[in-house]
Amino acid sequence: MDTGDRPGRLAVGVLGAGRVGSVLGAALAQAGHKIVAASGVSDSSRRRAAERLGVELSRPEEVLRRSDLVLLTVPDDVLPDLVSGLAATGADLRGKLLVHASGAYGLGVLDPAAEAGALPLALHPVMTFTGREDDLTRLTGASFGVTAPVMLRPVAEALVIEMGAEPVWIADQDRALYHAAIAGAANHMVTLIAESQELLSRIGVEHPGRMLGPLLGAALDNVLRLGITGLTGPVVRGDAGTVRKHVDALILAAPEAADAYVALARLTADRALAAGLLKPETAERLLDALGGNIWT
């Protein structure tokens, strides 16, 4: 389809103009591709389609008909039915690039469409999308987990680079572990920090975020540069008495947080022991404080 722009530009449709779809569509538009249609079901999707993509919402079949590249940016649980539904309509999928942005899924979820002639790509942005205006700028310099058929790998990587991001190849069979790694880091970090802020607020700290900011910034910098050798704190020091005090305090104040603390302290001790940062006899004292066994 000729978009009227310079050669190599694609007509882009977005099936699911939510937080992710609207940002990826806008990034492709900045690269010179043309957004021709989008679908969605909510008022926020309608607003994002108008404000970020410059189009009104259309029916999915219309999005598919008009597009060279279709972004399938719907929730993970909806994606298989969406792909099967598109294939079942008998719509002409031949030669169309179908791109999903799910981290957990690989190419298999696109098989029904690929069997009908579509060209499948999995491009997952390693970034959080909050619906705020800075989502698009945050995409610049981020990584994408890229999975594609070998013949389409250059196309997939070129699209990511055009969006200002870095393509990182992920083998199809590794998608679930890849997603577990990045989701565990980002999502659980939010939970842990929010829990810490709440506990500090309970004891009268007025600005817990201000207190935690420098500490967490330094800790993040340490681990990204040094890995596990950047670890600090009572576990790696072998301060079993301090760890036990933490557990006792949390049992009284937030029992559910105490369970998480113990599990993470055990994992921390296990990693520290394997890296040679913690001596076996010191680890044993920590075991007693945590009431478990890191050797299993």
Side-chain angles (χ1 to χ4, degrees), residues 93-99 110 113-114 117-121 149 152:
L93 297 175
R94 292 172 297 176
K96 292 184 183 289
L97 290 164
L98 257 58
V99 181
L110 298 174
L119 305 176
L121 304 177
L152 293 177

Side-chain angles (χ1 to χ4, degrees), residues 40-291:
V41 296
S42 66
D43 290 340
S44 58
S45 292
R46 185 177 304 279
R47 185 184 69 254
R48 291 188 183 102
E51 295 176 356
R52 290 187 171 177
L53 305 177
V55 297
E56 295 183 355
L57 294 183
S58 305
R59 295 178 62 83
E61 54 267 30
E62 178 66 11
V63 176
L64 191 63
R65 183 187 67 80
R66 298 181 61 190
S67 304
D68 303 318
L69 182 155
V70 183
L71 293 172
L72 308 179
T73 43
V74 296
D76 286 359
D77 289 348
V78 178
L79 184 59
D81 287 342
L82 172 63
V83 177
S84 298
L86 292 176
T89 64
D92 187 5
L93 297 175
R94 292 172 297 176
K96 292 184 183 289
L97 290 164
L98 257 58
V99 181
H100 79 66
S102 167
Y105 281 112
L107 298 178
V109 71
L110 298 174
D111 280 349
E115 291 168 2
L119 305 176
L121 304 177
L123 307 180
H124 175 249
V126 187
M127 180 49 62
T128 179
F129 296 90
T130 63
R132 295 165 57 90
E133 291 302 318
D134 58 356
D135 282 349
L136 182 57
T137 57
R138 283 182 170 181
L139 201 62
T140 301
S143 295
F144 272 66
V146 173
T147 304
V150 174
M151 293 295 291
L152 293 177
R153 180 170 177 174
V155 175
E157 293 179 338
L159 288 170
V160 172
I161 292 170
E162 284 187 326
M163 287 187 279
E166 178 183 357
V168 179
W169 183 256
I170 306 295
D172 197 44
Q173 67 271 19
D174 293 332
R175 293 287 291 197
L177 185 57
Y178 149 78
H179 195 236
I182 61 174
N187 301 160
H188 297 163
M189 178 183 70
V190 171
T191 302
L192 287 170
I193 295 172
E195 182 71 18
S196 295
Q197 288 179 306
E198 181 178 335
L199 292 172
L200 290 170
S201 294
R202 287 190 196 178
I203 61 172
V205 176
E206 292 187 9
H207 303 289
R210 187 183 304 170
M211 173 182 282
L212 290 169
L215 171 66
L216 297 177
L220 181 60
D221 179 67
N222 286 343
V223 69
L224 292 179
R225 288 189 300 108
L226 305 173
I228 192 64
T229 61
L231 180 65
T232 63
V235 171
V236 74
R237 292 196 302 265
D239 292 339
T242 298
V243 169
R244 185 66 244 178
K245 287 180 180 179
H246 292 175
V247 174
D248 291 343
L250 287 169
I251 288 173
L252 293 175
E256 68 285 355
D259 291 338
Y261 180 96
V262 168
L264 287 171
R266 290 178 62 189
L267 181 60
T268 301
D270 184 49
R271 294 290 183 268
L273 186 63
L277 303 175
L278 197 61
K279 295 180 179 179
E281 58 271 22
T282 305
E284 289 296 338
R285 291 197 298 273
L286 284 168
L287 285 177
D288 291 339
L290 294 168

